[in-house]
Structure formats: C-alpha cells, structure tokens
Amino acid sequence: MDQPATTDPVMDPVMDAVVVAVEAGRAGDRTGARARFDALWEQVGADGDPFHRCTLAHYAADVQDDPHTELVWDERALAAADELTDERVQRHHASLSVGGFLPSLHLNLADVYRRLGDDERARHHLTRARDRVGALPDDGYGAMIRAGIGRCGERLDLGDRS
C-alpha cells in the first residue's frame, strides 16, 4: 500500500480525498493532512467500507507526530483489513489483493511498537509481516516492504527506539 491506486473508470470520491490528503502530507502539510484524514474518518465511519477505512487509516498513520496516535491509526488499518475481501479491493484496482496489504500493515505495527519500546508486540507483528511476504509482488513495492521488514528487525535487535 505504498501508493494509493488510482480508480480507472470507477469514481470513488473517498479514495480521491485520500489521495489529496496523502499528497498534502507528502508536500509537507502534515497538519492539513491530519485534518483531512480526521474528517474523512468521520465521513466514512468506524463501520464504513473496510477498503476505505483500511486505506485512509494506513496513510493517516504516516502523518502522525505522536507514536501513540500513529498506533491507533495502524490498528484501525489492520482491523479493517481483517474485514476486506479480494473482490472488494479488486473493484478498486484489479492488481490488488488483501494478502498483499498485510505485510505492510504488520510492518507498520512492528515499527511503531518498536519505537514505543514494546518489543514483544513488535516481534509479534514483525513475525506476521515475515510470514506474509510471499503475497508481495516481485516489484519495487515488494522489495521496499521486504527491506523495511529487514531494517525493522535489525533496529529491534539493536534496541533502537528512533
């Protein structure tokens, strides 16, 4: 889930708004991105479309300044992924699968738990990420997630909290 997939010909205003929020964050407007994600979460709701919840929570975590708040968003993303089906994600883009999301979602949780000093939970999610790397594509995205898993494991072994 590194790049938000584009919708091609299906219109999806929520995903369009997620892309706008992601772009704001990447342009340095983290405060504005957080406000956009918060408003989107209110719009979608905690029981809304799991694809929307998973995607927006995944990206909202990336613009948080507080790791505890980041953890809340990462947990929301994984919880929503548990409700997702391949059929639903493929309505957005034919190349997507829920299994392809899970290594990244578990990596994010492992990393935030590592930074918070909860090594047990960090190792749990790192193991779950490693167990699911077979679902990653053999492309730049897959390589990036695999490398991230390796780096997170190394930092965890070193006791690095940064």
Side-chain angles (χ1 to χ4, degrees), residues 1 19 22 49 52 55 89 95 116-117 120 123 162:
M1 291 184 64
V19 170
V22 168
D49 179 335
H52 290 153
T55 305
V89 299
S95 69
L116 290 169
E120 183 178 338
R123 288 188 193 288
S162 63

Side-chain angles (χ1 to χ4, degrees), residues 66-141:
D66 174 54
H68 294 94
T69 306
E70 179 181 349
L71 175 61
V72 169
W73 284 107
D74 283 333
E75 288 174 334
R76 286 175 176 169
L78 184 61
D82 287 342
E83 299 174 36
L84 269 174
T85 65
D86 284 341
E87 178 185 6
R88 171 57 185 105
V89 299
Q90 289 168 2
R91 283 196 324 245
H92 181 71
H93 196 283
S95 69
L96 297 177
S97 72
V98 176
F101 294 179
L102 295 175
S104 176
L105 298 175
H106 283 290
L107 169 59
N108 290 349
L109 281 162
D111 189 59
V112 73
Y113 277 125
R114 175 192 62 78
R115 287 182 281 124
L116 290 169
D118 190 337
D119 291 0
E120 183 178 338
R121 284 191 175 131
R123 288 188 193 288
H124 168 79
H125 284 287
L126 196 57
T127 297
R128 298 210 49 193
R130 286 178 176 142
D131 289 348
R132 288 161 174 77
V133 295
L136 290 171
D138 190 21
D139 61 9
Y141 170 74

